[in-house]
Amino acid sequence: MHQVTIDAHPTEQAIVVRFDQSSGSPSNTLKKRASSANVESLGYQKVINLKELSPNVDIRTLSNVILQICLFIPATSRSQLEQVLYFLQKRGTPRMSSSRSRSSSTVSFDRRSSQAAVLNVDLDKVDEYIECFYGETSAEKNKGAVALHELSKTPQNLTALVNNGISVCQRCPNVHFPETLMMALARVFREDWKKHFDVATNIMNLFVNMSKFSIFHGILLHHKIGSLCVNAIEHETKRYDLWIAEMKKADQETQRKLKNAIRKQAMLLAACITMLTNLATDISVELKMVRRNLVVLLVKCLQMSSDSPNPLTTSTVKFLLKLSIFEENKIVMEQNGTIEKLLKLFPIHDLELRKATIQLLFNFSFDPKNVPKMVNGGLVPHMSSLIESDNKALNMLYLLSCNDDAKAMLAYTDAIQSLMRDVLSGRGSEVTKAVLLNICLEKRNAQLVCGAGGQGLDLLIEMSMESRDLMLIKVIRAISSHDGPTQNMFLKWIDKLLDVAKSEGTDNSESKSSFGLECMGAVAEIKVAPWAKIIQSHSLVPWMKDQLQEGIDESQEVTVLREIKPLQLQIVITCGTMARQLDAARLLVPLIDTFVHLLQSCQIDDEFVVQLLYVFLQLLKHKDLSARLMTQDSELGAHMIDLMHDANAAVREVCDNALLIMGEHSEDWAKRIAGERFKWHNAQWLEMVERDDHEFNNYDNEDFGADFNFDNFDDDFDMNEKLF
């Protein structure tokens, strides 16, 4: 077949395939195939009717179906086929047919010689169809299988089919099993599935139609249809490997035949896996399947179809999704490289397959070691392009956005624009805001959210203030944590954020107090603000002192803080930011005693201690204030020395930096600190020296020799005896 051309039918929703006669002209086999596909033959012209081509049909998926069914269209003509299909879809149907197709497929094929496009079958002729199974040729058997499969498409016919030839089972007198039909189907499948794919596929599709209803599961299990399916999957996966090895060294004609066989094999395996999926609604049946190593077989089937997704891919992914609920199955999938095979499927145009694949990857993503595999496999851009149309993709992107590499990748996608558009329009869900929060932890992403002039940040703050949305204010706080140009964008909002923090941060309502707390947290990150002016204009020192002293009990000898409130921690963090500026640090001097009392009373809370020590460190950096903190009787210095060997590494680091500054500013403190360090590093040696000195002083010099009687001491040594 050469010079294949594909055109749109002038009046019908159909495509016209034309090809010229050559040395490789169509043989009788090709004519038979065309006839069996219900294709109208006009010499070397084929007309394929597409009666159900609606605007919602996916063109790529439809072209895959046509190429699988119509063997006379080469794969190299895919682009031409898709162009014609797109034209027909846009043109619409000029003339609608009065008769409706009963086929469940998107593509239907009609014969011009007959008004009926569907196979004419009769429920009363079931016995005749069963007789076809006793024919000598596969064509006769397939005729019966096709007829019975056509009948099974109507759910009302299933009961009559399974009740054909009922006899009472001796073991279960109350349960009826249709031996005649079911036994014949099971026998033919068992004998012919290795030789005749068409017969086996039609029979298995009949079983699939039955397995959709749980009432028929007992009948299928009684005839061991599930076991036959597992056997078929196991055998076909091995045969697939042999065929692939044979194709590498075969001629072109043999390769064509093997490709055709592999395509039919995939259809059979898809039907088997779908049937097993339906039967697996019973957990005990599912466990039996797993014990037969079905998970590994399914992963192999996924590998077989990963290069060109087809119905086998969809059925395999759906069953893997169901099995992935159990941790044991998920571990086996991970060990066999399921994640890598799923990532190769993208981009996925089939909606059903894409939905199942994303759900399966979502189940895998809860294991932290799997997320880097997905990120490195390029999943982030694919999920970013789907978040507007697929909630599953949005959920998947949320888990991916917890990874630092994924955050960096999102800067080069359209995800930020999509998320901002949904949030600002009011359509954004909590998941949308959570994804935005995660990605704003990356500096580059935060800058993109804010925009060049800060318009994005202004819109977020205005919306959060109007709605008091806690997630949005968390996003704003995440943006404020970055240095650079975004810091200056907050200057015009710092007064508003402080007012909200002061008014709502101490509210008894949890929602208001949480919102005020986040506002205070955002303010604490603004390092470029004119803090001296802000402290005076908002009278922050008295307010902060009142808040920090709340809960401190000074009636006891040791100051005790009953409970550390989150707002108190944020105030201390804010003071650390303010103390970086000398003018603001001078205004914080009245709070030093309060800070020292807090340091005495909250030794258990490491985070609070670190932030307090950081405030002192910033104050010590200013020479004008360091003398105030480093008097001889300073409690701060004593606390610093006590904490320089704390178990918490962050506490030790801040203390070391503070003590270093104290030693540089004061020679007395330098000696004291050096002495304390010497005592710490040589504590064991000093302890031994002190103990030895104490024991030696207990002896009286006059009585030292009383314990030894030298007169009675004999060491067998004679002074008069010659040594040599």
Side-chain angles (χ1 to χ4, degrees), residues 79-92:
S79 59
Q80 184 182 3
L81 175 62
E82 290 181 353
Q83 291 177 1
V84 174
L85 292 175
Y86 182 80
F87 169 77
L88 290 173
Q89 189 180 48
K90 292 297 182 183
R91 186 184 70 177

Side-chain angles (χ1 to χ4, degrees), residues 397-402 407 410 433-442 445 475 478:
L397 187 62
Y398 168 73
L399 292 177
L400 292 175
S401 65
C402 297
K407 293 187 185 77
L410 286 169
K433 299 170 187 175
V435 176
L436 189 61
L437 172 59
N438 283 349
I439 66 177
C440 282
L441 295 174
E442 176 73 21
N445 295 337
V475 174

Side-chain angles (χ1 to χ4, degrees), residues 50-291:
L50 309 169
K51 292 187 176 181
E52 298 179 15
L53 181 59
S54 64
N56 297 327
V57 174
D58 184 70
I59 296 300
R60 186 172 181 84
T61 304
L62 179 58
S63 63
N64 289 336
V65 175
I66 294 177
L67 290 174
Q68 290 177 7
I69 298 176
C70 306
L71 304 180
F72 45 82
I73 302 179
T76 54
S77 302
R78 174 188 292 272
S79 59
Q80 184 182 3
L81 175 62
E82 290 181 353
Q83 291 177 1
V84 174
L85 292 175
Y86 182 80
F87 169 77
L88 290 173
Q89 189 180 48
K90 292 297 182 183
R91 186 184 70 177
T93 307
R95 178 169 55 87
M96 298 298 295
S97 175
S98 60
S99 61
R100 296 181 59 189
S101 172
R102 291 174 58 188
S103 173
S104 60
S105 174
T106 305
V107 185
S108 62
F109 302 97
D110 295 335
R111 292 186 181 91
R112 177 169 293 183
S113 59
S114 174
Q115 296 294 331
V118 297
L119 185 64
N120 186 15
V121 292
D122 190 351
L123 189 61
D124 296 330
K125 298 181 179 179
V126 173
D127 292 337
E128 297 181 12
Y129 303 145
I130 296 175
E131 289 294 330
C132 294
F133 291 148
Y134 297 96
E136 296 181 356
T137 64
S138 61
E140 295 181 58
K141 295 179 180 179
N142 193 42
K143 180 180 178 180
V146 169
L148 292 171
H149 176 219
E150 189 69 25
L151 286 173
S152 69
K153 293 180 181 179
T154 305
Q156 293 80 358
N157 294 341
L158 291 176
T159 302
L161 288 174
V162 299
N163 287 335
N164 178 268
I166 286 183
S167 64
V168 180
C169 179
Q170 296 179 357
R171 294 185 179 180
C172 305
N174 297 324
V175 181
H176 296 279
F177 293 100
E179 290 181 347
T180 302
L181 175 60
M182 293 301 297
M183 284 188 172
L185 292 172
R187 175 185 60 81
V188 175
F189 182 83
R190 186 183 300 107
E191 294 175 353
D192 288 12
W193 65 264
K194 295 181 182 179
K195 300 179 291 184
H196 309 299
F197 282 124
D198 293 335
V199 177
T201 302
N202 283 312
I203 293 176
M204 187 52 61
N205 284 329
L206 187 153
F207 291 149
V208 169
N209 292 335
M210 291 178 58
S211 66
K212 295 176 182 178
F213 304 93
S214 59
I215 191 175
F216 301 123
H217 286 187
I219 298 171
L220 294 170
L221 294 174
H222 174 76
H223 291 281
K224 301 185 182 301
I225 305 302
S227 179
L228 288 176
C229 286
V230 176
N231 292 338
I233 295 173
E234 185 175 7
H235 182 272
E236 292 303 328
T237 52
K238 295 178 181 178
R239 184 154 63 170
Y240 173 84
D241 293 334
L242 296 176
W243 283 347
I244 293 297
E246 186 178 351
M247 284 179 61
K248 295 179 180 179
K249 53 185 178 181
D251 55 17
Q252 186 174 0
E253 181 64 20
T254 304
Q255 288 182 357
R256 186 186 63 80
K257 292 180 180 179
L258 289 175
K259 288 181 180 179
N260 185 33
I262 290 174
R263 184 163 58 246
K264 291 184 177 181
Q265 181 192 57
M267 297 174 64
L268 173 61
L269 289 175
C272 291
I273 294 172
T274 303
M275 212 277 298
L276 290 176
T277 305
N278 295 338
L279 289 180
T281 53
D282 186 344
I283 190 64
S284 61
V285 176
E286 180 180 313
L287 289 175
K288 291 180 181 178
M289 298 178 187
V290 172
R291 292 192 193 102

